[in-house]
Amino acid sequence: MYPLRSAAWLEQFRSRLRTETTAQNALAYLTGQMASIVASQPEIPLSGGGWSHSYVCPVDGTRLTTITRVLHKCPLCQQEMSGAPYDDVVIAEEHSEFSQHALTAAVLYVATDEARYADWAMEVILFYAGHYASYELHDIFGKSGDAAGRYGAKVQNQTLSEAMWIIPLAQAFTILKSCRRWTDVEMSIIELNLFRPVIAVIDRNPRGESNWQSYHNAAVASVAEALSDQKLFDQAVNDPANGFRFQMKQSVGKEGFWFEGSWDYHFFTLNALITTVLSASAFDEPLCEDEQFQSMFRIPLEAHLPDYTFPAVHDSAETDLRKYADLYEFAYAAYGFGRDVLRQSERRSLSSLLYGRDMGSRPESADEAAIRDIRAIDLSKPGMLYVTVGKGPSAQAVLIDYGEHGGWHGHFDKLNLIYYAGGRCWLTDAGMLGYSHPMHDAWFRQTIAHNTIVVGGRSQSPSTGVLSEVKMNERNGSVRICAEVRDAYEGAQLNRSITIKNGLLIDACSVLCDREEDVDWVFHTPGVPKRLPSLDEIPVSSAQLSASEGYSFLKEIRRLPGLAGDTRMLEWKWNETDAQHERLQIYAIGSSSGSLKQEMWYLAETPGMAHVKRRSTLIRRVSKVREASFVTVFRVCSEGDAPLSQPSLTAILAEELGVEIH
């Protein structure tokens, strides 16, 4: 990787354009996209932007659709709205687009030698240099000027967003500088009126171990490269409490997963780290060789679900690895990682143009070895274990969240369980809404929104558990996992053991308390519960279960007193239309203690992310106990498949868990 300002980079870039179809296709696409943009004068807003997390429907939390700069619509409920804070978010997005378009235009100038691209990018950069001082410092809380505090920014409304906005402008400046497009006077104006003041705004808010600081570092490194400022670059890389090297040591687990335990934030942060690594080449710093940095590209290739997706855990939506193909354009060019991801993407982005390599131009990396029949990946920093058994349509996968809370983006969800089988994720996490929406804190972060244990109708405390056992048997294709947490509730210990074998998932949870408590075993599925005609359903209010910490979001609660016996079974279908034949069965098993007879079962509807809308929720409650145990068998099957027999369940549980049933 050569620095953007170097003759070597220019020559390498132009050489790829002559020989590689990936770069040629990306160039053709981007010139088409930018034609109308560079044909008109940029109309840049003179006011600062708002907080992106405010751009959600106040009713259901769905991300809004922009009709005009002053008209916004919820695609779910069709409500239209205008004014603050929505108009301000559109302004923020316009600032970001002008910045990104300036970089694209600068790259297209290098690719085509057409002056219109350089002229447009220069006009944008000079506009911001001429007006940056007039933007008022402001923050996401509506404060301005000195009251905005260290989080506030000017063009954007927080230092994170300000850093993200300045990075493409600094990179565009550097590219145009390498092409000798700037006069000395222009470069001085941009340095003194834009780059230095932006860094001063960002430097007010050191963030340490955070994704914010990764973008702060990237902004500082990009500006350092633009200005050939060694001291500024050293700040971005070597600051002992904030720099790139600190983050690689402190914030990335040995397997390569970002500490916040969210795949969205892992990829979000990785994008900033790439920027710092690229800028480092201008100062002869081979950050590209850093093993922790490289591992951040490897781990998603190993830890995704069989359908290339990642579940929504902590502050993350359900996401697809192929959505981040741009990151693997860089990774494939630098290390040979991500061939399969790139094969499934369109490869026509700016990253494809800047870094993209044709697949035949290099051998496949040794890190892309054949996937084994059983994979267990312990993401030790956030404390999440991913296990996949089998391949193709029969593959099963689980995630259990046992470790660190995850900082500000963590949820109160220790021993949360995700389950994938039959090509579907049947046990899902609540995920997240925009942070400005009150339901994000009130529901999505609370324990009841997750597939775990709730004690006393209260959410867990921020806590850290341990993984006590992982046992894999390649011969018969089985896996056993055990985890525990002792500090989620004062005076209570939670244990969970998971066994995957013969296409089944066997879940055994136990709770030991120092005083009598109500204990809830909770699971959520996007499936639709299959009604049993013989099953009584008694309406119940949420307050009868708990009056606090998320329970009020349980809707249409029905108690199921008709379920009886030592084995209880319920069934869900995937949906009411094209996949209603796909089924999830759960079998709750009574142990020799007879605990199943003490349980009350409740079905409810609960909120999901905006695109999910709803989930079906089952709560198994044991009241006023010091000890509780829940044993459950999950089975994904097809409509019409005969239920598991009592002798089969008896044999399974006796062999795998040592549990006797009667």
Side-chain angles (χ1 to χ4, degrees):
M1 295 291 177
Y2 296 107
L4 293 176
R5 64 181 179 173
S6 70
W9 177 80
L10 289 171
E11 175 54 35
Q12 182 192 61
F13 177 65
R14 287 168 173 158
S15 174
R16 287 179 43 248
L17 281 172
R18 291 191 296 268
T19 60
E20 301 211 25
T21 57
T22 298
Q24 292 164 2
N25 292 339
L27 177 60
Y29 175 77
L30 291 170
T31 53
Q33 293 292 105
M34 290 292 292
S36 61
I37 294 171
V38 299
S40 58
Q41 186 176 5
E43 297 182 4
I44 300 174
L46 286 168
S47 58
W51 191 31
S52 64
H53 284 278
S54 298
Y55 206 60
V56 295
C57 175
V59 176
D60 52 51
T62 303
R63 184 80 180 170
L64 300 179
T65 298
T66 302
I67 308 302
T68 68
R69 183 183 281 183
V70 295
L71 182 62
H72 324 278
K73 187 175 183 178
C74 174
L76 187 62
C77 70
Q78 303 300 308
Q79 178 181 349
E80 294 184 349
M81 54 208 77
S82 60
Y86 313 112
D87 297 359
D88 300 330
V89 176
V90 174
I91 289 172
E93 291 175 348
E94 289 181 6
H95 284 304
S96 297
E97 287 173 358
F98 278 114
S99 174
Q100 190 61 47
H101 289 331
L103 174 57
T104 303
V107 174
L108 293 182
Y109 170 68
V110 176
T112 66
D113 278 328
E114 294 184 26
R116 61 193 177 113
Y117 293 115
D119 293 342
W120 193 90
M122 293 169 69
E123 186 174 357
V124 170
I125 296 170
L126 287 168
F127 177 92
Y128 281 120
H131 293 84
Y132 189 73
S134 66
Y135 288 95
E136 186 177 29
L137 198 69
H138 63 291
D139 67 14
I140 66 174
F141 306 109
K143 298 177 182 178
S144 59
D146 292 340
R150 66 190 182 109
Y151 295 98
K154 301 187 75 173
V155 169
Q156 302 288 357
N157 68 351
Q158 54 184 3
T159 56
L160 167 64
S161 305
E162 200 89 340
M164 295 171 67
W165 162 77
I166 199 61
I167 288 167
L169 294 176
Q171 292 173 324
F173 173 91
T174 300
I175 291 170
L176 295 170
K177 180 181 176 182
S178 72
C179 298
R180 303 183 184 278
R181 290 286 306 194
W182 300 110
T183 67
D184 290 343
V185 171
E186 288 171 333
M187 288 193 291
S188 178
I189 289 171
I190 293 166
E191 175 180 356
L192 297 177
N193 295 344
L194 180 61
F195 289 155
R196 298 291 183 187
V198 168
I199 297 304
V201 168
I202 292 170
D203 280 350
R204 294 159 45 254
N205 188 25
R207 300 295 295 167
E209 188 180 28
S210 70
N211 62 76
W212 282 48
Q213 189 60 46
S214 293
Y215 276 92
H216 291 181
N217 292 340
V220 171
S222 297
V223 170
E225 182 180 8
L227 303 180
S228 302
D229 188 328
Q230 180 71 52
K231 183 178 179 181
L232 198 58
F233 174 75
D234 287 341
Q235 172 189 325
V237 174
N238 297 318
D239 184 312
N242 298 284
F244 176 91
R245 298 189 197 281
F246 162 82
Q247 295 222 313
M248 290 301 97
K249 181 179 179 180
Q250 181 68 26
S251 304
V252 182
K254 62 183 180 181
E255 301 82 14
F257 195 34
W258 184 248
F259 81 99
E260 289 170 303
S262 158
W263 285 107
D264 277 352
Y265 279 103
H266 177 92
F267 291 118
F268 177 68
T269 303
L270 189 51
N271 194 60
L273 297 173
I274 290 173
T275 299
T276 303
V277 166
L278 288 170
S279 292
S281 61
F283 299 91
D284 297 323
E285 283 277 3
L287 297 185
C288 196
E289 298 174 6
D290 187 279
E291 284 294 328
Q292 287 299 93
F293 175 66
Q294 293 183 34
S295 71
M296 293 183 72
F297 294 99
R298 288 193 191 97
I299 195 62
L301 300 175
E302 300 172 3
H304 59 77
L305 295 176
D307 62 355
Y308 276 87
T309 65
F310 299 97
V313 289
H314 291 198
D315 279 351
S316 180
E318 295 165 346
T319 192
D320 193 308
L321 175 59
R322 292 159 292 195
K323 173 184 174 183
Y324 298 98
D326 278 3
L327 301 179
Y328 285 96
E329 294 284 13
F330 169 86
Y332 187 69
Y335 314 117
F337 301 162
R339 178 187 295 258
D340 287 344
V341 176
L342 293 176
R343 278 178 174 155
Q344 299 177 68
S345 69
E346 293 183 323
R347 306 196 71 189
R348 58 185 190 181
S349 68
L350 183 60
S351 292
S352 303
L353 178 57
L354 283 169
Y355 320 120
R357 300 292 191 272
D358 292 350
M359 291 299 181
S361 64
R362 64 178 304 150
E364 188 168 357
S365 166
D367 291 276
E368 297 184 308
I371 296 175
R372 293 165 44 184
D373 286 338
I374 299 180
R375 290 181 294 151
I377 301 166
D378 183 14
L379 306 174
S380 58
K381 180 66 177 174
M384 295 179 181
L385 182 74
Y386 280 78
V387 175
T388 303
V389 177
K391 301 176 183 178
S394 63
Q396 293 175 274
V398 297
L399 175 149
I400 186 165
D401 183 345
Y402 68 86
E404 292 181 13
H405 179 64
W408 194 85
H409 293 293
H411 290 193
F412 306 105
D413 64 347
K414 288 309 101 178
L415 304 189
N416 184 31
L417 177 66
I418 306 294
Y419 180 46
Y420 172 102
R424 309 284 190 186
C425 201
W426 285 95
L427 270 66
T428 59
D429 190 279
M432 61 175 290
L433 288 185
Y435 301 146
S436 68
H437 200 288
M439 198 191 308
H440 179 70
D441 282 333
W443 166 253
F444 285 85
R445 284 180 169 168
Q446 301 304 318
T447 305
I448 184 62
H450 300 83
N451 304 308
T452 187
I453 298 292
V454 185
V455 176
R458 310 181 303 275
S459 280
Q460 300 171 1
S461 302
S463 53
T464 301
V466 296
L467 193 64
S468 54
E469 181 183 12
V470 180
K471 186 181 295 183
M472 298 184 291
N473 189 325
E474 294 275 4
R475 181 179 55 80
N476 65 7
S478 67
V479 178
R480 178 175 167 82
I481 309 158
C482 298
E484 65 180 54
V485 58
R486 296 174 180 265
D487 58 345
Y489 295 99
E490 183 179 357
Q493 177 178 334
L494 281 59
N495 300 276
R496 187 163 215 163
S497 70
I498 302 294
T499 300
I500 302 175
K501 186 175 181 181
N502 296 330
L504 303 175
L505 173 67
I506 306 163
D507 174 37
C509 294
S510 63
V511 182
L512 181 64
C513 306
D514 64 1
R515 58 183 180 272
E516 290 189 347
E517 296 272 19
D518 293 343
V519 180
D520 292 341
W521 176 94
V522 186
F523 104 93
H524 306 268
T525 178
V528 179
K530 182 183 177 185
R531 300 292 191 204
L532 299 178
S534 61
L535 188 62
D536 293 331
E537 296 185 1
I538 300 174
V540 174
S541 71
S542 61
Q544 291 176 261
L545 294 174
S546 176
S548 65
E549 297 181 325
Y551 277 79
S552 63
F553 290 94
L554 299 171
K555 304 301 180 184
E556 299 182 28
I557 309 170
R558 292 93 67 202
R559 184 161 61 89
L560 309 179
L563 286 172
D566 294 309
T567 302
R568 303 180 184 179
M569 192 272 276
L570 285 179
E571 187 171 85
W572 285 257
K573 53 189 172 184
W574 183 253
N575 61 30
E576 298 280 11
T577 54
D578 59 307
Q580 62 176 324
H581 65 285
E582 300 177 35
R583 299 300 173 91
L584 170 69
Q585 296 174 344
I586 74 157
Y587 299 82
I589 312 299
S591 69
S592 57
S593 64
S595 60
L596 191 60
K597 294 182 173 65
Q598 305 170 27
E599 289 183 22
M600 293 304 302
W601 284 33
Y602 302 88
L603 269 178
E605 298 288 317
T606 55
M609 290 174 288
H611 70 284
V612 176
K613 301 179 186 177
R614 52 149 297 281
R615 294 186 298 166
S616 176
T617 298
L618 175 67
I619 299 173
R620 297 166 58 186
R621 168 168 287 192
V622 181
S623 299
K624 301 296 183 290
V625 294
R626 294 195 174 195
E627 296 183 36
S629 63
F630 305 89
V631 180
T632 314
V633 175
F634 293 88
R635 180 198 188 201
V636 172
C637 57
S638 296
E639 180 181 12
D641 288 352
L644 296 175
S645 67
Q646 185 77 21
S648 296
L649 291 167
T650 301
I652 291 168
L653 296 175
E655 178 182 356
E656 299 301 327
L657 302 179
V659 174
E660 297 180 4
I661 62 175
H662 55 84

